[in-house]
Amino acid sequence: MLQLENLSVRYGSFRALNDVSLHADEGELVVLLGANGAGKSSIFLTVSGLNKPAGGAIRLKGKEIGGMKPSKIVRSGVVHCPEGRKLFPKMSVMKNLTLGAYVYSRDQVGVRRSLEEVFELFPILRDKRYEAAGSLSGGQQQMVAIGRALMGRPKILLLDEPSLGLAPLVVKQVLDVVKKINENGTTVLLAEQNAFAALKIAHRAYVIEGGRIVMEGESDTLLHDENVRKAYIGA
Ligand SMILES: Nc1ncnc2c1ncn2[C@@H]1O[C@H](COP(=O)(O)OP(=O)(O)O)[C@@H](O)[C@H]1O
Ligand SMILES: [Mg+2]
């Protein structure tokens, strides 16, 4: 589905990503583990066209998408749910959600159908649809952010730290929803610092440190790996 080959990204002279190669196959839930500053968000920003790659290739179903316009990348099926949610707090939940379908604004029937799907996944958002997004709890705001991404009709969803800043019980709810979205057929690439919970729902994982992939494997293997446990799980 999505394949990165020797992707490099620079901010000025700083090399944020060095020869990053990874892939997510159709139907997979792949997690990207790494500490703050490792380069997770840089990967997502580059795949979704907001950063320009300095080198390497980004392919979706074999077709190069590196350097394409963000709106074209969304249309091709890559949708990014950014770190920190990035909602419009004064706008209603409904308005925030429909913004996620901006590339499909000529297809209002389709937009309504997507909205219905999001409300089925997150019934609480239907109840709160006319409330300001900023008035919702942290977990509910994350649901709006994920819902907005789903409105973009992802074939592959890039989810950047959806559990950031949420209480443990809410983290579990959010990751359960991520798992469900994947089971419903959407390929997911998930960045998480919550390694244990993320590995529990993922099929495979990559570990990124200092802009390089340093480890990859099946989730089960990484869950039991001594170094991963020490560095990311704390057991
Ligand atoms: N816009 C930017 N300009 C300069 N440096 C940046 C920028 N964005 C990120 N960085 C740096 O790139 C590195 C990777 O950051 P990031 O991709 O945000 O990591 P993560 O998401 O894993 O925390 C960090 O050292 C960060 O400080
Ligand atoms: Mg980040």
Side-chain angles (χ1 to χ4, degrees):
M1 169 75 79
L2 180 72
Q3 189 175 23
L4 312 190
E5 212 176 281
N6 299 321
L7 182 68
S8 294
V9 168
R10 289 191 201 143
Y11 299 113
S13 59
F14 175 68
R15 297 174 68 93
L17 297 180
N18 293 290
D19 291 330
V20 167
S21 296
L22 61 80
H23 64 98
D25 296 336
E26 188 151 5
E28 270 194 316
L29 199 177
V30 176
V31 66
L32 198 53
L33 301 177
N36 257 334
K40 304 179 299 297
S41 295
S42 295
I43 291 179
F44 287 178
L45 291 165
T46 310
V47 172
S48 56
L50 300 167
N51 279 346
K52 289 266 171 284
I58 305 171
R59 281 189 285 269
L60 182 73
K61 297 190 170 179
K63 193 175 156 244
E64 176 69 47
I65 59 165
M68 269 170 40
K69 275 199 318 193
S71 59
K72 204 164 172 212
I73 292 176
V74 171
R75 271 182 183 281
S76 70
V78 180
V79 184
H80 178 202
C81 181
E83 183 181 325
R85 328 204 211 289
K86 305 284 190 319
L87 300 179
F88 294 94
K90 291 187 175 159
M91 289 184 187
S92 69
V93 166
M94 183 104 109
K95 184 76 194 166
N96 272 277
L97 289 173
T98 49
L99 281 172
Y102 72 101
V103 300
Y104 301 112
S105 55
R106 288 185 178 175
D107 170 22
Q108 282 304 314
V109 174
V111 172
R112 265 170 230 279
R113 191 174 50 229
S114 303
L115 196 59
E116 204 46 46
E117 286 169 13
V118 169
F119 286 153
E120 265 167 43
L121 194 62
F122 302 114
I124 186 75
L125 298 188
R126 188 195 301 275
D127 301 341
K128 302 208 177 244
R129 65 190 181 282
Y130 300 123
E131 294 182 26
S135 72
L136 273 55
S137 72
Q140 290 166 353
Q141 291 192 32
Q142 185 59 56
M143 291 170 194
V144 177
I146 294 173
R148 181 181 57 188
L150 294 175
M151 297 292 294
R153 305 180 192 171
K155 293 191 177 79
I156 177 163
L157 179 61
L158 311 176
L159 263 175
D160 198 352
E161 302 213 40
S163 75
L164 198 68
L166 301 179
L169 194 68
V170 186
V171 170
K172 186 177 181 316
Q173 287 169 358
V174 167
L175 292 181
D176 283 348
V177 164
V178 173
K179 183 162 184 255
K180 190 165 168 189
I181 290 168
N182 174 248
E183 285 169 354
N184 287 348
T186 306
T187 307
V188 177
L189 183 59
L190 168 72
E192 264 296 332
Q193 294 200 39
N194 233 310
F196 186 74
L199 286 171
K200 284 276 183 198
I201 62 165
H203 300 112
R204 283 191 307 114
Y206 294 88
V207 178
I208 179 167
E209 283 177 15
R212 292 176 194 279
I213 301 290
V214 295
M215 199 187 284
E216 64 173 289
E218 303 280 319
S219 297
D220 267 355
T221 313
L222 267 72
L223 258 178
H224 297 102
D225 183 276
E226 192 71 18
N227 294 321
V228 171
R229 292 186 82 89
K230 271 195 198 131
Y232 297 101
I233 298 176

